[in-house]
Amino acid sequence: MDAWLKDPRPLRAEIARRRDLMAAYANLQEPFVFWGTQPDVSTWPARGATAIEPVKAGDVLSGFPGCPGQVTGVARVILDPIDPTALEPGDILVAPITDPSWTPLFVSAGGVIVDVGAAQSHAMIVSRELGIPCVPSVTNGTRRIPNGATVTVNGDAGTVTIVALP
């Protein structure tokens, strides 16, 4: 660090290389989970390139048994917590993953579905505190569940049932 602060010119090429690498990786879908050696980056598919099977009314998606309870409501797929008006009271929050910036959205949600999460994830903790049903680890839920679909969240069983499509 001292050498860089004294004269950053020798590191410009490395910084540019790493910036290019970061941009390239941003367009790839990393493995959800791996054991042992990480798969080579050349095997990662382009982000969004993997075909996702659309849901039909009656389909049951599996996740992780989360905060107990069952609720039926309108699914609201929200990819960014910046707009709290996207969720009406009683709607089902469908999110990719949550962190503290998502917490205000939980207050009005009737239930929560999250693509990624487990027993000690943010979504689970906040759902338990508020007493709303939650099913994390519904892989690709934000891509499979259409915005406006009517869904039943069963936090006891860890399932999401598609009741009706918009």
Side-chain angles (χ1 to χ4, degrees), residues 27-40:
N27 293 316
L28 299 176
Q29 183 61 58
E30 67 281 356
F32 179 68
V33 67
F34 61 89
W35 183 262
T37 305
Q38 177 178 310
D40 188 80

Side-chain angles (χ1 to χ4, degrees), residues 52-57 59-63 73-79 91-96 111-115 135-154 158-166:
I52 301 297
E53 183 182 342
V55 295
K56 303 178 298 297
D59 282 357
V60 178
L61 307 179
S62 294
V74 176
R76 294 293 172 211
V77 178
I78 300 177
L79 303 177
D91 283 350
I92 308 301
L93 170 62
V94 183
V112 178
I113 302 166
V114 187
D115 289 354
V135 179
S137 292
V138 179
T139 305
N140 293 316
T142 54
R143 293 181 63 200
R144 294 192 68 204
I145 301 169
N147 194 52
T150 303
V151 298
T152 297
V153 177
N154 185 331
T159 60
V160 176
T161 302
I162 309 301
V163 177
L165 297 174

Side-chain angles (χ1 to χ4, degrees), residues 84 87-91 103-111 130:
L87 196 67
E88 296 293 325
D91 283 350
T103 303
L105 291 162
F106 283 70
V107 175
S108 64
L130 296 174

